[in-house]
Amino acid sequence: MKYNDLIVGSGLFGAVYAREALDSGRSVAVIERRDHIGGNVYTKRVSDIDVHVYGAHIFHTSDREVWEYVNRFAEFNNYINSPVAIYGDELYNLPFNMNTFSKMWGIKTPAEAKAKIAEQIRDLDIKEPKNLEEQALSLVGRDVYEKLIKGYTEKQWGRPCNELPAFIIRRLPLRFVYDNNYFTDRYQGIPVDGYTALVEKLLKGADIFTGEDFFDFRKNNTLKDGAGIEYDRLIFTGQIDQYFDYQYGPLEYRSVRFETEELDTDNYQGNAVVNYTSADVPYTRIIEHKHFNFGKQPTTIISREYSSEWKPGVEPYYPINDEKNNELYQRYADLAGKEKKKDVYFGGRLGQYKYYNMDQVIAEALSLSEEIL
């Protein structure tokens, strides 16, 4: 089988590039390691509920071109992300806004909230933050840090905040309005039929081979059943360090483990996203999937999320973009630049070792399409 383009990975980057390549008249094959398409945005219909199998994905963007692009392939609802946080027996609205501050301190006005935060920052007298803990304290004061940042962050990173570098938190948005909308982007929502249906439309016309590991395929350009594939151009969206056989050593990631169960109730927590910010709760948050699409099904499905260390063989989720890993990535990026001579291109969260929002992934894929198609 001969194709113009072979795409490794069927997440948003690969799927958008595939659509643009197909529309330009090129033949496209997609190799996907998992047994389904969609990468981490994959949604699975269970009991008439679209389950976000690899964690919550809420589309938001201020890029009108990207918004109009995705609306060609899916109808989006008007879901607004308004998570809540539980600390012990206290419940707070997120992001940090006047509802949060009013609950925490019993105040009413922005001036009171600003004064309270400024007082705590002044009392701490942190001149040059040496770690994440001091950085956060110098930005929001002790109360917000202790109740809503410290435990959650330590679970996410698997180490104490005073051992994490300060640059991880460059700023913490404080909103002095009574508004629980987590995102400030103009456009926001979730596909009514789930993300998998969106990806299916993007990939329509491509030959898709699921359950195929690229590195097994690369040994002799054949699939598991022995079928051969030839191609002119390779679009690689897997781990860039793995592509180069980890010759400089592996890049580091954080991973996530999910515990998903169906419950015999129509409404478990009253919100799609609830964060658990105290260290004594082992999971970081609980997702109740039906609330992403305003579901009225008789049962509900929840997923508890546990942050975990990554090691080869475990699904990588979040690049650890500290100085050491960024320097290591640049060495791999230099190798990737040389691969362009062979018509090999790298994209996406793993291929570019960068945490992308979904709209940014789509914009990057469209940019590459404009450059090389």
Side-chain angles (χ1 to χ4, degrees):
M1 295 179 285
K2 178 69 184 293
Y3 298 92
N4 297 128
D5 292 290
L6 175 64
I7 301 171
V8 178
S10 63
L12 282 178
F13 190 99
V16 169
Y17 177 85
R19 181 73 268 141
E20 297 304 294
L22 289 161
D23 287 350
S24 69
R26 295 175 68 86
S27 55
V28 173
V30 178
I31 287 181
E32 170 57 56
R33 175 175 53 81
R34 292 167 171 165
D35 63 0
H36 60 74
I37 62 170
N40 284 358
V41 303
Y42 170 68
T43 50
K44 181 179 181 180
R45 186 68 59 89
V46 180
S47 297
D48 201 34
I49 298 170
D50 284 319
V51 176
H52 295 221
V53 174
Y54 302 100
H57 285 82
I58 300 152
F59 195 90
H60 58 98
T61 186
S62 292
D63 188 325
R64 185 170 181 175
E65 179 183 354
V66 169
W67 180 244
E68 291 177 347
Y69 185 85
V70 294
N71 274 268
R72 288 169 48 194
F73 306 98
E75 176 188 356
F76 283 74
N77 65 20
N78 61 342
Y79 176 82
I80 299 296
N81 189 31
S82 303
V84 297
I86 291 177
Y87 176 81
D89 59 357
E90 302 171 26
L91 187 147
Y92 295 97
N93 291 106
L94 297 175
F96 311 139
N97 69 78
M98 285 303 299
N99 288 309
T100 318
F101 308 141
S102 177
K103 176 71 178 291
M104 189 169 289
W105 298 313
I107 52 91
K108 297 178 181 177
T109 68
E112 290 176 297
K114 290 177 182 179
K116 187 75 173 178
I117 293 169
E119 177 188 8
Q120 292 191 3
I121 292 173
R122 185 171 60 250
D123 290 345
L124 290 165
D125 194 31
I126 298 171
K127 302 298 185 187
E128 295 184 10
K130 300 180 182 65
N131 51 56
L132 184 149
E133 178 168 275
E134 292 185 357
Q135 176 76 1
L137 286 167
S138 69
L139 292 171
V140 299
R142 185 169 298 284
D143 289 345
V144 174
Y145 170 73
E146 291 287 348
K147 292 187 174 184
L148 300 179
I149 297 173
K150 185 177 187 295
Y152 191 87
T153 302
E154 290 182 346
K155 286 187 288 189
Q156 273 193 318
W157 289 92
R159 48 190 58 84
C161 286
N162 59 15
E163 295 179 9
L164 291 167
F167 74 82
I168 290 176
I169 295 182
R170 292 185 174 89
R171 67 182 186 89
L172 287 168
L174 300 173
R175 300 181 190 169
F176 297 98
V177 291
Y178 288 92
D179 183 1
N180 299 324
N181 186 351
Y182 195 84
F183 302 119
T184 58
D185 291 307
R186 180 176 179 182
Y187 309 106
Q188 184 174 169
I190 291 174
V192 171
D193 295 322
Y195 285 102
T196 302
L198 182 155
V199 174
E200 285 174 349
K201 291 181 180 178
L202 286 168
L203 292 175
K204 186 177 181 180
D207 286 347
I208 304 167
F209 304 94
T210 57
E212 296 284 355
D213 186 282
F214 169 75
F215 298 100
D216 292 336
F217 162 81
R218 185 167 66 172
K219 292 174 184 176
N220 52 15
N221 278 9
T222 58
L223 303 174
K224 286 189 297 187
D225 64 0
I229 290 182
E230 296 179 10
Y231 54 92
D232 301 319
R233 175 182 294 153
L234 179 67
I235 307 297
F236 183 80
T237 70
Q239 291 173 245
I240 188 171
D241 51 348
Q242 186 180 14
Y243 180 89
F244 293 108
D245 297 320
Y246 303 110
Q247 63 180 273
Y248 299 132
L251 292 162
E252 295 179 309
Y253 299 85
R254 289 293 289 174
S255 191
V256 184
R257 177 173 62 85
F258 302 94
E259 288 182 355
T260 299
E261 61 178 319
E262 185 169 1
L263 303 175
D264 189 20
T265 179
D266 66 338
N267 191 354
Y268 175 73
Q269 63 185 15
N271 204 51
V273 182
V274 177
N275 290 359
Y276 286 80
T277 60
S278 56
D280 59 345
V281 178
Y283 41 85
T284 55
R285 62 182 182 175
I286 295 179
I287 305 301
E288 188 167 7
H289 300 269
K290 69 189 304 179
H291 294 310
F292 289 127
N293 246 328
F294 314 107
K296 293 179 170 57
Q297 298 88 348
T299 63
T300 194
I301 296 173
I302 65 169
S303 295
R304 295 178 182 87
E305 296 187 11
Y306 298 80
S307 185
S308 61
E309 292 287 345
W310 176 84
K311 58 184 178 181
V314 174
E315 190 66 37
Y317 278 84
Y318 305 110
I320 300 178
N321 291 119
D322 57 13
E323 184 176 354
K324 177 186 73 171
N325 280 287
N326 285 343
E327 288 178 357
L328 180 57
Y329 165 69
Q330 189 54 55
R331 298 180 73 184
Y332 284 117
D334 292 342
L335 294 178
K338 297 174 182 176
E339 290 290 284
K340 289 183 180 180
K341 296 177 182 178
K342 304 175 187 176
D343 231 0
V344 177
Y345 298 86
F346 297 78
R349 174 175 50 92
L350 303 180
Q352 296 176 328
Y353 196 66
K354 183 176 181 180
Y355 181 78
Y356 282 120
N357 291 322
M358 287 182 283
D359 64 324
Q360 295 169 318
V361 169
I362 290 168
E364 286 288 319
L366 290 173
S367 177
L368 178 65
S369 302
E370 284 187 22
E371 176 187 344
I372 67 176
L373 287 175

